[in-house]
Amino acid sequence: MDCTKSIFAGKPVDFEVIDVHVHYGDAGTYQLCGSEAEGIVHTMGRLGMDLCCCCGNSAASDWYYINENVAKGMDRYPDKLKGYVVVNPFYEDLDPAFWFERSPGFIGLKVLACVQGDLPLDHPRYHRFYEYADRHNLPVLVHTWIAREVNEMFRMAQKYPNARFICAHSALTNRPAKEALIEGMKICDNVVADTAISEIYDGALEWIADKIGTDRLVYGSDFITFECSHILGRVAMSKLTDDDKEKIFSRNAKQWLKL
Amino acid sequence: MRFIDASCRLGMPAAPGEGMPWKTEEILELMDRCHIEQAFAYHIVARDGEVEDGNGLLMEEIKKDSRLQPQWCAMPATFREFLHADALGDAMKKNGVKTLRIAPKGFAHSAMPYAMKELMDFAAQSRVPVFFDYGEAVGDALYDLCSAYPDVKFVVTNTAYALNRFLGPVLDACPNLYVGTGNYVPHQGLETFCRYYSADRLIFNTNLPFGSATAAVSLVCLANISKEEKEKIACGNMERLLSEVRL
């Protein structure tokens, strides 16, 4: 497939695209356009994206509000949007089961510890959520950035082998985080990494794909935190084979998320 | 669509990313893949503070390919660390240099007229566009810089996704400010920018090798804006700025 040709024509690439890392709702701290369901679906149509897996923005604040917001969006677009329940370690009344009953669109959990008191990802307060995912064989999208966070996530992945972890960002952040990811993946097979990062250089995706294999990469863009066309284009115009691109854009996600 | 990269970087990075294509030959290969006809480049040594030496290294490096065009780094002539305006103009003319890059924070000098007036007067008179990274003038400093020199055409590069509430009022107040598209990535950012400020003030650039050329061209090509707007951003606006230079 000639992705470059499609992109230069301003047309969607000829791959099914499942985005495993999408934010939903205003962040509050900076200006955003199209952050609710209609804006997300509009961008999906423009770029030919098939499915977006969303977590509520403002994870730092009211967990009921943001999860309900995502649930309402999924009610409106059940074929376009799926969701992760954003967990919060400080509220014992946050029961993941409630949300899976609330909407069939919820497919997993999201952990974003850096905006929730910066607890370690393996802090005991998070364990009940990992246990839940382990018990129900659910995906857990985990925000990581630095090596410490990657290592914490792998400790949890080892402890809860039936949970299916998606390591966000760190395949493309900094050298120590990437090294931690590469080492962790050698001993833990219930982890994949996503492609989400706002600023990236050419060659980075090919490099990490060579180290961890394209079977363990899933397409995630982090939009609407920021635009996603440049990330989609970076994957599509990479030097990877069409087969590898297809795995990253959708095939791996279907398997990992049981879609 | 033709692309002109208004700002990228040549030279050896201190800490290249894993797999980063930083060699000039690798950058040229990326330009081919991304249909980038010309790239205006500055040299990493100049940006790291050895301004005149770095500009000299740049002139040597761009001899490798005629698609590479020079972007000189510049600083005030205080302590005779850099050329005074007259000499700078002569040197730029002699070397075919039509764009400058400043880095007040990086070079640890004030951006205000008491320090930069001579350099900025030169840029205004010669209509040489002046580039700088957003990190050099964040928030109020962006307004201070653009409003202090209303006759200078500034292009802010290497922006990000969370800056629109700062950027918008400066664009309103300072018609001399243009925005480089490399890593200008608010969601629906180009569409919103074109709606509020017009495509005339967006200039395509890549920030190579630390930025991505494939991402940069995708951002423009896949934006929900007209073909005419895309062409202005990709090359038209930069060509217009260059056509106005009088050295």
Side-chain angles (χ1 to χ4, degrees), chain B residues 24-100:
Chain B
T24 301
E25 293 74 14
E26 295 172 313
I27 286 175
L28 288 165
E29 187 269 332
L30 268 165
M31 288 173 64
D32 288 338
R33 279 171 58 201
C34 296
H35 304 190
I36 297 171
E37 281 187 3
Q38 275 189 313
F40 286 77
Y42 60 101
H43 201 282
I44 199 161
V45 170
R47 178 58 189 78
D48 278 353
E50 297 285 350
V51 178
E52 291 201 35
D53 283 355
N55 290 341
L57 289 172
L58 175 69
M59 299 314 294
E60 285 303 308
E61 196 64 24
I62 65 171
K63 285 179 183 169
K64 289 178 176 173
D65 197 292
S66 60
R67 288 174 295 169
L68 299 173
Q69 299 294 324
Q71 184 168 93
W72 276 4
C73 289
M75 63 165 62
T78 320
F79 305 117
R80 297 183 184 171
E81 290 181 290
F82 192 63
L83 301 169
H84 278 288
D86 287 349
L88 176 61
D90 291 343
M92 288 176 68
K93 188 173 182 179
K94 184 179 164 195
N95 287 281
V97 181
K98 291 185 172 181
T99 65
L100 288 175

Side-chain angles (χ1 to χ4, degrees), chain A residues 31 33 43 178 202 227 237, chain B residues 18 21 33 187-188 213-214:
Chain A
Q31 182 264 345
C33 283
T43 293
K178 290 177 193 175
D202 290 299
E227 177 59 31
M237 290 178 70
Chain B
E18 302 74 24
R33 279 171 58 201
H187 180 223
Q188 300 174 359
T214 55

Side-chain angles (χ1 to χ4, degrees), chain A residues 127-167:
Chain A
H127 284 213
R128 71 183 179 97
F129 300 116
Y130 298 128
E131 280 165 12
Y132 186 89
D134 187 66
R135 200 160 58 244
H136 296 278
N137 195 214
L138 294 174
V140 187
L141 176 61
V142 184
H143 173 93
T144 66
W145 198 266
I146 58 176
R148 171 184 65 78
E149 294 168 323
V150 176
N151 289 327
E152 290 164 2
M153 185 212 64
F154 272 109
R155 279 198 286 278
M156 293 298 92
Q158 280 187 288
K159 187 175 171 70
Y160 300 102
N162 295 316
R164 287 171 284 120
F165 287 77
I166 302 169
C167 180

